[in-house]
Amino acid sequence: MEKIVKFFQFLCLVLMLFPFHSSSLPLCTDKRAPRSPKGHLTFCPYNGKICCRESDDIELQKRFEGMNISDSACASAVKSILCATCDPFSAKLFDVDSEPRSVPVLCNSTSATPRSSLSSPTDNSFCSTVWESCQDVSILNSPFAPTLQSRAQLQQNTTSSKLTDLWQSKSVFCNAFGGAIDEKNSFCFNGRPVSLNTTDTLPPPRGMCLEKVDNGSYLNMVAHPDGSNRAFFSNQAGKIWLANIPDQDSGEVLELDESSPFVDLTDQVHLDTSYGMMGMAFHPNFATNGRFFASFNCDKEKSPGCGGRCGCNSEVGCDPSRLGSLEAGEHCKYHIVVAEYSANGTASSPSMAEKGNPQEVRRIFTLGLPFTANHGGQILFGPDDGYLYIMTGDGGGKGDPYNFAQKKKSLLGKIMRVDVNNIPSEEEIVKLELWGNYSIPRDNPYSEDKEMEPAIWAYGLKNPWRCSFDSERPSYFLCADVGQDTYEEVDIISKGGNYGWRVYEGPDPFQPQQTPGGNTSADSIDPIFPVAGYSHSNISKLGSAAISGGYFYRAQTDPCMYGSYLYGDLYASHIWAASETPQNSGNFTTRDISFSCARDSPINCDSVPNSNLPALSYIFSFGQDNRKDVYILTQSGVYRVVRPSRCNYACSKEVVPSINTPTAAHSHGSFLNDPNSVVMFFVSAVLLFLEFFM
Ligand SMILES: *[C@@H]1O[C@H](CO)[C@@H](O)[C@H](O)[C@H]1NC(C)=O
Ligand SMILES: *[C@@H]1O[C@H](CO)[C@@H](O)[C@H](O)[C@H]1NC(C)=O
Ligand SMILES: *[C@@H]1O[C@H](CO)[C@@H](O)[C@H](O)[C@H]1NC(C)=O
Ligand SMILES: *[C@@H]1O[C@H](CO)[C@@H](O)[C@H](O)[C@H]1NC(C)=O
Ligand SMILES: *[C@@H]1O[C@H](CO)[C@@H](O)[C@H](O)[C@H]1NC(C)=O
Ligand SMILES: *[C@@H]1O[C@H](CO)[C@@H](O)[C@H](O)[C@H]1NC(C)=O
Ligand SMILES: *[C@@H]1O[C@H](CO)[C@@H](O)[C@H](O)[C@H]1NC(C)=O
Ligand SMILES: *[C@@H]1O[C@H](CO)[C@@H](O)[C@H](O)[C@H]1NC(C)=O
Ligand SMILES: *[C@@H]1O[C@H](CO)[C@@H](O)[C@H](O)[C@H]1NC(C)=O
Ligand SMILES: *[C@@H]1O[C@H](CO)[C@@H](O)[C@H](O)[C@H]1NC(C)=O
């Protein structure tokens, strides 16, 4: 009974929090991010960041004029349809994930609402409008031909056609070109540029209430792919543990037996200040195939299986024998490795497995490192495409002296996207010059471009440290990228995007000190600037800063946090919440949010001396469990975001459990909570990790 009540409460909350709105990032039909054209468009009524250039605008005008449409209402409808390719949401309007279309999905109201005219702000039955204004109007090379083949034929014959020549009736026409306007996640074209609901914004959260659930220091947390309330935790040395996650309000801690890891890869991992196990990923079908992957550094002089091609090579204009003169780089002694392992056969099914096999199944990727830092190393499966994303840093050296991040043939400073479900033969790997056992997804941006490494998904990054997909909107792929001297940034990663490093650091031009690898001119690139971030001067007088990217908060636990993207700084122990205004605009407003420790935290949060704030120490990373609860992985332990009222934060939407939950085992009444304070403290100890990001 209690469960039913709880479920009903949950359902109401879900319905309250998820209004049926369309959600999508602005993206063009080629899945790339919209850009600002150099000048103004003269034909299409679009400005700002859009999906066409001036040359496209001129083409569209020519095409339109070539249609020779005599009727003005029809002409205006057709013009708006042609120009829809310029819309920043054209990927959605043309529904590019389905079949190719010549015409965007035309709004087709299925209800009996009266048809509005073309000039009305929202024409919910634009499809009818098009039919009615164009049915008897001749159009040369009509885009409304039934099939791609017939469209091509029309163009060859240069015959003009009316809609009634091509289609039996309005309803047949609208069945082909129309789309419902009321379905969740569907966009349709109403004759005008897509406009977002500007009142649809979420207020920023007041503060974040945390409880400490483990004393361990981890770099990674990955929810179990079977959906159970378990997660894997890994440390820098190379151990992975499988932990049971306690319910919210249970007063329990993580159930994790430190002496019994899921797998211990420490003998394969090279551990040092800036080396170790940086990432892990579990195949989306792990529960049945038992495949999992680790990303770590190795030393080729110590591990026989470690050798691979050096990231500094003649193809990228880099001579490994000269590296030493620039920095104490141990030219390609150390490598980034992504290796596959298996949990098959250790239990009745991989989902039940409590142990993985430390024997490497397959080497997915190996890359020799030119310098000692900036390796990135996170790995992650795309929730929609099932491909493995591999994040690499620029390889280090202050200011990326060899300009690796911009080099098209370098895999440093990149976000790679590879297919680990289709492993090519050894011969093919050699022929295609791949860097390991993976294949290239056909829709990778440079899969056919001889100038570019085909594994590249996005480039121009310095040291991507923690990327995540929004669990509700997989087109939102956010990465935090560690800066050099001045700015820490958050980027929305899109196909083929160039994120600017080292032409730019954040939004500002960057002046490299050493440039043996040459420069890239600002005019030659079209960088995508960060959507959020912070200046070093804002957080620390010591000048040390390194961003740790987090998650879009999607749990029900703190409804006031819902929809904010959370991230932090490794050194300064600051946490920010970026809220998007309006929703789906890609326009973020960032706020430094205070946090404190729940009075009833199961483990004492060890407050900062002379304050009442939890001593998070270094923020290594964030985590998210299968209930979408968010965790902060720090040097001092694992903290979970809990109900705001467990600190003194007010959130009117919070649902306090009606059933009396067991009180926390260890209560710490001494914890005063001050929601308005901001943590600012300096640690003099030199952390094992200190150089990690520099
Ligand atoms: C365009 O249409 C007009 C009539 O509206 C016609 O006289 C003219 O020949 C057409 N032009 C072409 C190129 O078909
Ligand atoms: C276009 O021309 C081809 C032959 O070249 C013919 O088979 C086809 O029927 C024509 N299409 C139209 C729509 O006139
Ligand atoms: C469009 O609306 C018409 C009625 O106006 C309906 O018959 C048709 O099924 C709708 N098509 C789509 C794709 O929604
Ligand atoms: C815009 O969003 C607000 C808040 O979610 C909602 O109340 C309103 O109905 C929306 N307006 C439109 C035109 O969708
Ligand atoms: C965590 O550490 C604190 C003090 O350092 C100790 O009191 C507590 O028992 C530890 N808790 C767990 C779950 O290991
Ligand atoms: C694990 O077992 C499943 C089912 O028997 C099989 O399909 C899969 O290939 C195995 N994977 C590995 C890595 O051995
Ligand atoms: C592919 O995997 C096998 C098995 O681990 C390994 O021997 C081989 O070197 C790998 N190939 C590449 C190019 O990494
Ligand atoms: C690269 O640009 C910097 C100034 O930003 C300049 O000092 C340097 O000489 C340039 N290097 C090359 C190889 O052109
Ligand atoms: C950083 O500081 C500047 C000036 O002190 C201020 O204008 C800006 O809002 C701050 N930014 C953040 C993200 O706190
Ligand atoms: C971005 O958000 C800010 C702050 O809410 C707002 O003032 C601004 O108008 C928004 N910009 C766009 C392009 O929506």
Side-chain angles (χ1 to χ4, degrees):
M1 188 59 196
E2 276 168 12
K3 276 203 170 137
I4 293 171
V5 171
K6 262 191 161 172
F7 176 73
F8 190 68
Q9 277 180 346
F10 175 75
L11 198 69
C12 291
L13 197 70
V14 168
L15 292 176
M16 223 167 68
L17 289 171
F18 297 86
F20 289 94
H21 57 73
S22 303
S23 56
S24 162
L25 183 66
L27 279 182
C28 303
T29 50
D30 59 3
K31 291 284 194 95
R32 292 171 197 245
R35 307 292 174 83
S36 302
K38 300 265 189 275
H40 280 289
L41 306 194
T42 54
F43 179 63
C44 292
Y46 286 86
N47 51 44
K49 287 189 179 168
I50 58 177
C51 293
C52 38
R53 308 289 150 106
E54 285 166 284
S55 56
D56 300 321
D57 187 54
I58 292 165
E59 276 306 307
L60 289 167
Q61 182 166 12
K62 275 193 196 146
R63 214 180 129 200
F64 173 73
E65 282 162 0
M67 290 179 175
N68 197 23
I69 305 170
S70 53
D71 178 85
S72 68
C74 176
S76 137
V78 171
K79 176 183 169 178
S80 73
I81 285 169
L82 290 181
C83 287
T85 54
C86 297
D87 199 288
F89 290 93
S90 56
K92 273 282 173 183
L93 292 177
F94 284 83
D95 192 16
V96 293
D97 291 326
S98 310
E99 280 171 42
R101 307 175 62 96
S102 60
V103 165
V105 175
L106 306 179
C107 293
N108 182 42
S109 171
T110 44
S111 66
T113 45
R115 253 170 259 124
S116 32
S117 74
L118 193 65
S119 58
S120 88
T122 51
D123 187 350
N124 289 347
S125 51
F126 185 64
C127 190
S128 295
T129 308
V130 173
W131 176 266
E132 262 135 44
S133 48
C134 293
Q135 57 180 327
D136 293 322
V137 180
S138 294
I139 303 176
L140 271 171
N141 306 331
S142 175
F144 300 109
T147 62
L148 283 175
Q149 206 182 358
S150 58
R151 236 165 273 147
Q153 255 180 26
L154 280 179
Q155 286 190 4
Q156 273 167 18
N157 299 11
T158 62
T159 48
S160 84
S161 55
K162 299 172 181 171
L163 291 187
T164 47
D165 300 336
L166 301 166
W167 299 94
Q168 238 178 335
S169 66
K170 179 170 92 178
S171 84
V172 179
F173 174 77
C174 284
N175 253 327
F177 292 108
I181 57 154
D182 44 7
E183 262 171 42
K184 204 189 170 203
N185 288 327
S186 83
F187 263 70
C188 64
F189 185 63
N190 66 11
R192 322 186 129 241
V194 169
S195 68
L196 295 167
N197 182 351
T198 47
T199 59
D200 193 12
T201 58
L202 302 158
R206 296 235 170 75
M208 180 190 272
C209 187
L210 300 171
E211 67 176 359
K212 188 172 182 180
V213 292
D214 194 87
N215 285 330
S217 170
Y218 310 102
L219 288 196
N220 289 284
M221 168 179 173
V222 176
H224 199 294
D226 72 357
S228 64
N229 219 18
R230 296 181 294 167
F232 295 95
F233 291 81
S234 67
N235 68 0
Q236 191 176 355
K239 285 184 185 172
I240 299 175
W241 290 268
L242 176 57
N244 282 324
I245 296 191
D247 287 350
Q248 286 276 356
D249 291 302
S250 67
E252 304 290 327
V253 297
L254 283 188
E255 213 177 290
L256 182 156
D257 180 358
E258 211 199 318
S259 66
S260 175
F262 178 77
V263 73
D264 180 350
L265 305 175
T266 47
D267 61 345
Q268 299 170 48
V269 174
H270 174 69
L271 176 66
D272 201 341
T273 315
S274 53
Y275 298 103
M277 194 201 275
M278 298 301 171
M280 60 172 169
F282 291 77
H283 193 280
N285 301 329
F286 173 78
T288 49
N289 68 18
R291 296 178 73 187
F292 68 100
F293 303 80
S295 164
F296 55 86
N297 302 116
C298 63
D299 175 348
K300 76 173 175 198
E301 282 159 24
K302 294 203 182 119
S303 332
C306 184
R309 265 192 280 167
C310 184
C312 167
N313 56 56
S314 57
E315 235 189 346
V316 295
C318 182
D319 176 0
S321 68
R322 294 189 53 217
L323 281 178
S325 61
L326 270 166
E327 201 181 80
E330 295 171 80
H331 19 265
C332 293
K333 181 175 188 292
Y334 302 112
H335 289 70
I336 297 177
V337 155
V338 178
E340 177 175 344
Y341 300 87
S342 175
N344 262 13
T346 64
S348 57
S349 81
S351 176
M352 305 298 288
E354 295 197 340
K355 293 282 171 201
N357 192 332
Q359 201 69 45
E360 182 174 331
V361 172
R362 188 181 286 121
R363 182 61 54 89
I364 300 297
F365 176 65
T366 316
L367 174 64
L369 293 164
F371 296 115
T372 51
N374 285 7
H375 318 138
Q378 187 190 4
I379 51 176
L380 171 78
F381 279 95
D384 267 5
D385 57 25
Y387 294 129
L388 185 68
Y389 290 79
I390 303 174
M391 282 33 101
T392 64
D394 67 9
K398 189 171 160 55
D400 191 10
Y402 283 93
N403 200 17
F404 291 128
Q406 288 295 326
K407 291 240 165 97
K408 299 171 170 184
K409 281 284 183 187
S410 171
L411 284 175
L412 292 162
K414 303 296 185 301
I415 290 175
M416 298 164 58
R417 180 188 190 239
V418 301
D419 181 349
V420 296
N421 290 329
N422 295 291
I423 309 288
S425 67
E426 286 287 328
E427 296 78 57
E428 276 178 290
I429 290 172
V430 171
K431 195 177 129 228
L432 299 170
E433 297 180 52
L434 302 178
W435 294 72
N437 287 289
Y438 57 81
S439 60
I440 303 293
R442 212 165 288 167
D443 63 340
N444 264 18
Y446 308 111
S447 59
E448 316 260 296
D449 185 342
K450 289 271 178 289
E451 299 279 291
M452 296 283 287
E453 244 316 309
I456 295 173
W457 179 254
Y459 63 113
L461 293 126
K462 181 170 172 288
N463 192 19
W465 188 249
R466 297 329 188 207
C467 303
S468 67
F469 289 90
D470 182 357
S471 60
E472 282 192 4
R473 302 174 301 176
S475 59
Y476 278 72
F477 179 29
L478 269 67
C479 283
D481 192 21
V482 177
Q484 182 74 63
D485 299 325
T486 59
Y487 197 84
E488 303 297 310
E489 68 186 73
V490 177
D491 297 302
I492 299 187
I493 301 300
S494 55
K495 178 175 177 173
N498 181 348
Y499 292 87
W501 174 247
R502 70 146 155 70
V503 185
Y504 295 93
E505 178 180 5
D508 309 316
F510 179 79
Q511 297 294 328
Q513 283 161 5
Q514 292 173 296
T515 56
N519 291 320
T520 297
S521 76
D523 291 343
S524 67
I525 63 167
D526 202 356
I528 300 175
F529 290 116
V531 293
Y534 52 94
S535 296
H536 289 194
S537 57
N538 282 50
I539 53 154
S540 160
K541 293 177 179 62
L542 291 180
S544 286
I547 194 169
S548 288
Y551 288 86
F552 275 98
Y553 187 84
R554 295 297 184 187
Q556 305 304 326
T557 310
D558 182 351
C560 290
M561 195 78 75
Y562 187 84
S564 287
Y565 174 75
L566 303 174
Y567 59 98
D569 185 80
L570 172 77
Y571 298 102
S573 219
H574 272 251
I575 293 176
W576 290 268
S579 33
E580 198 181 16
T581 51
Q583 289 228 65
N584 305 311
S585 63
N587 179 45
F588 287 86
T589 310
T590 287
R591 200 170 290 226
D592 194 334
I593 54 167
S594 61
F595 48 86
S596 51
C597 188
R599 277 176 289 265
D600 55 359
S601 173
I603 302 175
N604 185 341
C605 295
D606 301 317
S607 61
V608 176
N610 306 319
S611 96
N612 37 48
L613 295 156
L616 297 185
S617 183
Y618 297 99
I619 297 176
F620 292 147
S621 193
F622 289 76
Q624 187 185 45
D625 68 18
N626 282 321
R627 293 173 183 166
K628 311 303 171 208
D629 275 316
V630 168
Y631 297 74
I632 306 175
L633 310 184
T634 79
Q635 191 198 19
S636 67
V638 178
Y639 297 79
R640 172 162 69 177
V641 178
V642 300
R643 287 187 294 108
S645 63
R646 289 178 63 190
C647 297
N648 286 335
Y649 297 117
C651 172
S652 61
K653 287 181 275 181
E654 176 182 333
V655 178
V656 180
S658 50
I659 304 110
N660 268 348
T661 49
T663 42
H666 324 273
S667 237
H668 294 278
S670 62
F671 243 97
L672 300 166
N673 298 289
D674 178 7
N676 296 318
S677 309
V678 164
V679 174
M680 184 68 132
F681 68 98
F682 304 106
V683 186
S684 54
V686 176
L687 174 69
L688 173 74
F689 221 63
L690 198 69
E691 267 180 46
F692 189 77
F693 298 97
M694 301 305 284

